Amino acid sequence: MTITQLKYVLAVAEHQNFTKAAEKTFVTQPTLSMQIQKLEEELDILIFDRSKKPIELTSVGRKIVNQAKNIVNESERMQDVVDQEKGFIGGEFRIGIIPTVMPTLLPMFLKTFTSKYPKVHLKIEELSTEEIIHKLLEGHLDAAIAATPLQQEKIKERVLYYEPFVGYIPESHRLFEKKKILSTDLDLDDILLLEDGHCFRDGVINLCRASKMAKNDAFQLESGSFETLIKLSHEGLGMTLLPYLHTLDLSEKQQKHLRYFEEPSPAREVSIIYPKSELKLQIIDAMYQVISGIVRGAIRFQDVKIISPI
Amino acid sequence: MTITQLKYVLAVAEHQNFTKAAEKTFVTQPTLSMQIQKLEEELDILIFDRSKKPIELTSVGRKIVNQAKNIVNESERMQDVVDQEKGFIGGEFRIGIIPTVMPTLLPMFLKTFTSKYPKVHLKIEELSTEEIIHKLLEGHLDAAIAATPLQQEKIKERVLYYEPFVGYIPESHRLFEKKKILSTDLDLDDILLLEDGHCFRDGVINLCRASKMAKNDAFQLESGSFETLIKLSHEGLGMTLLPYLHTLDLSEKQQKHLRYFEEPSPAREVSIIYPKSELKLQIIDAMYQVISGIVRGAIRFQDVKIISPI
DNA sequence: AATAAGTAATAATTTTTGTCTATCAAATTT
DNA sequence: AAATTTGATAGACAAAAATTATTACTTATT
């Protein structure tokens, strides 16, 4: 059994076709046929059911593919181990970002980062906190940006910035006339929330819980984007809360609806998180430096009270 | 990079000597030299410091060896995956057993098991619960026998038997005259305990805690074996508690000092535990059958109250 | 200091393996 | 029925891995 053979198996399993898999692996089709046959012979099982069109995995085949993924994955980390030691900043870097951070933070640092570290090939994915934790632990991500603290034993956190919550209040709302708002002013029943799965939603709920136990009505409008929430808010359906960086993109007209909290303002903690194995720590360091440098200009320091995202 | 090269690296790292490693891997020494050089060239680092005698790993080398272990380990599991599917019962089976179970249970089932499943090559290690959990998760063990429940997310448990605690009371002791004892009779301050690290010790402490919060004196005799505890007990240093199976080996004279608990007797739950990946499930099944069959004859069913081992 | 033993690297050679081109056979599509 | 797609097979060849033989160096031993 060789790593090459396993890669061939993975390619064929993915494309369900020897010829296409051969192209992708830059060898000829007979090479794949023979090497896979050799592996099947060695293990004394059939990995593929070639009678089906397109080709299918056998039931053992599926398990073998899983194990092959493990092996190939681990083998690809060998180069990371070496890069780590050399202090080389480059190679593939897979990073996950939660949806409520993605659109504001990404444009801010992406250009700077890629021009400063051209050898790093970024692969960015928008993922929920839950998916991020899972993928970090499985080794499918090198790092992620998420709201913290997460209290995950095998994941390290490095705080990038504290992002205050800002109220967005429609003119009809009871809080519109106030200059500054307090967390005790909030009532979960008239706050528009993001849909389930967003940790910013959970943060808001925690914030309200902290002041008073507001009952969550069965019927409540929820949306996947802040833009929609703002529009719904204008329809008089209630106020909403935005993360500070999002408020920077609003029109002047919209800015008039913003109401900041009295200090200490409730805020979310946004961190770069990564597995304790600390592979690619140099790239993580580099990204930390770039992002915190940029955000330092965008968020003035203030006294905040961190709201848990979970 | 090939799996073979990694195996060569591991062999040299283990023996700190190319020639010996070559013998162990059944190739000639130049083969190792060349293949390892090739790998070093590919990764563009030195794995071994050949100037030292005996040869040493470089600092990158150590990390590479770690990663190589991962890869080789995973690759060796491929055969397990296949065996699993074929229902083949054989191959290497690495099992860990806690010290307080080892001497009583092992002789009971070992003969039966090996004669029933001659193709299984058992590798048995005596380990603490902590070490067992660690090794199971790292893939260095296929299964283990330990006191449960452990509430480990990634480990499955299958109860083998419930083993009552039995008091061993010296003649001078206040409880010697009682026919049956109660957990409320116990006082941690006059019970001889195994030394730290044994989960049976923790079980006893939990049992006493459950009845009353006895203060643990600073000076307390502790030992690594029940045999010593019994001797110490005879010296009038206090009573002790034994797991039921241990009491079967005692002399008639010693048996006179045994005092059983009123039902429901406190007991420990002993289980065979294994990773959720469930490789080698057939062998685990087989072992479960053999052990629980044997123990069924040795421990009569009774009403018990399980004491947590952690 | 000379010699022997041990150890890893190197060179030359042989063996094995991986890949390629060319071709075939079966299945699928037109 | 013909054409196309797809995977298996055969033979040739190059690359890679392993072997034997040898060298260079270090460490013990006399």
Side-chain angles (χ1 to χ4, degrees), chain B residues 117-153:
Chain B
Y117 303 101
K119 284 184 185 163
V120 176
H121 181 71
L122 284 181
K123 287 205 167 180
I124 302 167
E125 267 188 286
E126 182 171 306
L127 297 166
S128 72
T129 304
E130 205 175 345
E131 291 167 324
I132 281 175
I133 293 173
H134 189 248
K135 289 204 169 189
L136 277 177
L137 295 176
E138 295 286 308
H140 299 311
L141 281 180
D142 297 307
I145 295 175
T148 48
L150 294 170
Q151 288 156 261
Q152 283 286 322
E153 203 197 330

Side-chain angles (χ1 to χ4, degrees), chain A residues 8 27-28 30-31 34-35 38 53:
Chain A
Y8 292 165
V27 290
T28 57
T31 302
M34 292 177 75
Q35 288 305 316
K38 249 182 82 177
K53 304 276 164 169

Side-chain angles (χ1 to χ4, degrees), chain B residues 167-182 185-186 190 233-234 236 238-240 252-260:
Chain B
Y168 189 92
I169 322 267
E171 294 178 21
S172 58
H173 196 276
R174 62 187 159 86
L175 294 177
F176 187 75
E177 299 306 323
K178 293 191 76 167
K179 278 260 183 305
K180 294 243 172 181
I181 56 179
L182 289 165
D185 292 334
L186 301 178
D190 78 346
S233 171
H234 275 281
M239 63 172 290
T240 189
E252 258 186 61
K253 201 176 140 197
Q254 288 177 320
Q255 299 258 1
K256 294 216 164 65
H257 293 84
L258 295 179
R259 292 296 177 275
Y260 298 92

Side-chain angles (χ1 to χ4, degrees), chain B residues 186-190 205 208-217:
Chain B
L186 301 178
D187 183 349
L188 248 190
D189 291 333
D190 78 346
I205 293 175
C208 297
R209 281 242 183 78
S211 50
K212 55 186 165 190
M213 285 296 277
K215 268 185 197 165
N216 211 334
D217 266 346

Side-chain angles (χ1 to χ4, degrees), chain A residues 173-175 182-193 204 207-209 211-217 220 238-239 241:
Chain A
H173 196 276
R174 62 189 160 83
L175 292 176
L182 290 165
S183 61
T184 46
D185 292 334
L186 301 178
D187 183 349
L188 248 191
D189 290 333
D190 78 345
I191 296 180
L192 301 170
L193 292 172
V204 171
L207 172 58
C208 296
R209 282 242 183 78
S211 49
K212 55 186 167 190
M213 285 296 277
K215 269 184 194 166
N216 211 332
D217 265 346
Q220 198 143 4
M239 63 172 290
L241 289 175

